[in-house]
Amino acid sequence: MNKNNWESCVRKVVPYVPGEQPQFSDVIKLNTNENPYPPAPDVRKILDDFDCGRMRLYPDPDSTVLTDAIAKRYGLKSSQIFAGVGSDDVLAVAFMTFFGSDRPILFPDITYSFYDVWADVYRIPYRQIPLKSGFNIAPEDYVTENGGIVIANPNAPTGVAAPLEVIENIVKVNPDSVVIIDEAYVDFGGESCLPLIERYENLLVVQTFSKSRSMAGMRIGFAMGSEKLIKYMNDVKFSINSYTMNTLTQLCGAAAVKDEKYFNETVSKIIETRERSKKRLAELGFTFTDSKANFIFASPPKKSAQYVFDELKKRRIFVRYWNKPVICEYLRITVGTDEEMDKLFEALEDILNG
């Protein structure tokens, strides 16, 4: 009997590995860059008042209430906004839409580790550009033939933010490629390149509600760009799944984006805690980048990063560690509440002096 060979037709890829999600509650969770504070108060009101009978109906495929709210917040037209189920969904659609040439797309060698996964699954050729000293981007490295460019700014997992002029230089010298700037962490101290989209038709800016708006569990991401870019993305989206974002999520997202006061207060608290945490880590002997995100990328003294990671986990404190070249002696530590960070520092002091 002949053996079936259906597996020869399978698209095999090495998947993205997300941060661990502990299945118990008594932990300090500083490993997936979630916001330690709840969403805006009006989100709770939407949840309390929502008519469950609406769940029998398909959601608005255009996410109008959400895209209109985002457009108003950022001074754009609704036709310049693309909404998706988290920025991962938005970026995946962007990869499918814009990276269709035989030329390799470019992105840093140390960055968000979903980029090479999408490139592999969509059969997109790619080249990873080594970062320079201090985990910085060199714009001259992107002056080469390419099929597109993706840059996280501030970068993950390093937290390093490139100045606006560096990003503009990259966009300017690549008019024949779409340049995607992934600004998942920009609200914590980076400089958004959103002002550039009216000048450069090939620039797509992607942001998320998962970090600064405390809504990782609802999965809301969005892209901003020229009307032409957004139309192309919608054409691809509607060729896959018209109803990607549910009704309740759309309403909660619109409520969150309208509360600017709460947004600013929450972001400010995280920035203050981050800067205080940098000082404490320095006192403990850690070296780290000048993060402009809601996490700190830090290398411990005396002990290996792997050892510190394991010891923290024994104490039910979760941070992120990658056993990869160049970054294997660093831990990525999400900024939690002041109380959570104090418990972290107490544990670190015990581990390092043990």
Side-chain angles (χ1 to χ4, degrees):
M1 183 176 180
N2 292 331
K3 181 182 178 182
N4 292 326
N5 196 26
W6 58 266
E7 286 186 90
S8 65
C9 300
V10 172
R11 179 164 293 192
K12 301 180 182 73
V13 293
V14 178
Y16 170 76
V17 180
E20 185 174 355
Q21 297 290 343
Q23 298 304 306
F24 35 87
S25 58
D26 58 333
V27 301
I28 296 176
K29 192 170 180 297
L30 306 175
N31 66 330
T32 50
N33 299 341
E34 293 146 327
N35 195 311
Y37 304 106
D42 280 351
V43 174
R44 165 61 68 183
K45 189 173 187 304
I46 293 291
L47 294 171
D48 289 342
D49 297 344
F50 185 71
D51 176 9
C52 287
R54 295 182 64 179
M55 300 302 282
R56 68 183 181 82
L57 303 172
Y58 283 109
D60 173 11
D62 295 313
S63 303
T64 305
V65 66
L66 177 60
T67 54
D68 284 355
I70 294 171
K72 184 176 180 180
R73 161 65 176 80
Y74 291 98
L76 300 171
K77 301 174 185 175
S78 295
S79 53
Q80 292 180 279
I81 307 295
F82 177 92
V85 185
S87 60
D88 289 340
D89 178 45
V90 175
L91 287 162
V93 172
F95 269 58
M96 281 190 284
T97 305
F98 301 120
F99 300 155
S101 80
D102 294 329
R103 301 185 303 276
I105 64 170
L106 310 177
F107 48 85
D109 61 338
I110 299 170
T111 191
Y112 186 32
S113 54
F114 228 139
Y115 299 157
D116 58 330
V117 174
W118 286 317
D120 284 337
V121 78
Y122 299 135
R123 301 295 190 260
I124 300 167
Y126 65 92
R127 185 155 64 87
Q128 295 171 298
I129 308 296
L131 293 174
K132 302 302 184 186
S133 175
F135 300 111
N136 287 295
I137 288 171
E140 60 270 18
D141 290 341
Y142 295 84
V143 186
T144 183
E145 185 180 40
N146 65 80
I149 295 171
V150 188
I151 293 173
N153 193 46
N155 197 13
T158 66
V160 174
L164 185 61
E165 58 266 25
V166 169
I167 300 300
E168 182 169 12
N169 285 341
I170 293 171
V171 178
K172 185 187 299 184
V173 299
N174 288 283
D176 298 324
S177 301
V178 171
V179 179
I180 300 174
I181 305 300
D182 181 355
E183 294 187 343
Y185 301 99
V186 74
D187 293 325
F188 300 104
E191 189 175 9
S192 177
C193 63
L194 181 61
L196 302 179
I197 66 173
E198 300 299 339
R199 213 176 310 163
Y200 300 99
E201 190 179 59
N202 62 319
L203 171 63
L204 189 76
V205 180
V206 177
Q207 294 189 13
T208 179
F209 281 47
S210 295
K211 316 301 181 185
S212 56
R213 297 193 185 276
S214 309
M215 298 182 74
M218 293 214 90
R219 313 306 299 126
I220 303 174
F222 60 103
M224 300 174 283
S226 66
E227 291 179 278
K228 185 182 290 187
L229 285 182
I230 300 304
K231 180 186 182 303
Y232 282 134
M233 289 183 70
N234 276 315
D235 288 346
V236 170
K237 170 197 166 182
F238 286 114
S239 300
I240 301 170
N241 182 357
S242 299
Y243 304 108
T244 54
M245 185 178 291
N246 68 66
T247 300
L248 185 56
T249 297
Q250 293 179 30
L251 294 171
C252 288
V257 82
K258 290 174 183 176
D259 196 336
E260 193 73 9
K261 182 175 182 291
Y262 182 83
F263 167 77
N264 288 329
E265 288 173 353
T266 303
V267 168
S268 294
K269 282 197 290 188
I270 291 170
I271 292 173
E272 288 171 8
T273 301
R274 181 190 68 203
E275 296 307 305
R276 183 179 74 87
S277 298
K278 287 178 182 177
K279 293 177 182 177
R280 187 72 184 99
L281 287 170
E283 291 170 358
L284 290 171
F286 280 76
T287 56
F288 45 86
T289 61
D290 184 20
S291 174
K292 299 299 181 184
N294 69 333
F295 59 83
I296 302 170
F297 194 56
S299 180
K302 304 178 186 177
K303 314 283 188 179
S304 71
Q306 174 80 70
Y307 176 82
V308 174
F309 170 80
D310 291 337
E311 289 298 311
L312 284 172
K313 192 171 181 179
K314 291 176 184 176
R315 293 162 172 80
R316 297 207 168 192
I317 300 175
F318 287 74
V319 297
R320 196 79 194 266
Y321 172 73
W322 290 271
N323 188 15
K324 293 182 178 181
V326 183
I327 63 172
C328 62
E329 284 307 321
Y330 284 83
L331 301 171
R332 193 194 67 189
I333 304 167
T334 302
V335 176
T337 63
D338 284 328
E339 293 76 16
E340 288 174 328
M341 299 308 284
D342 285 340
K343 290 178 182 177
L344 168 71
F345 301 140
E346 182 179 342
L348 286 174
E349 189 167 7
D350 180 56
I351 292 166
L352 294 174
N353 295 326

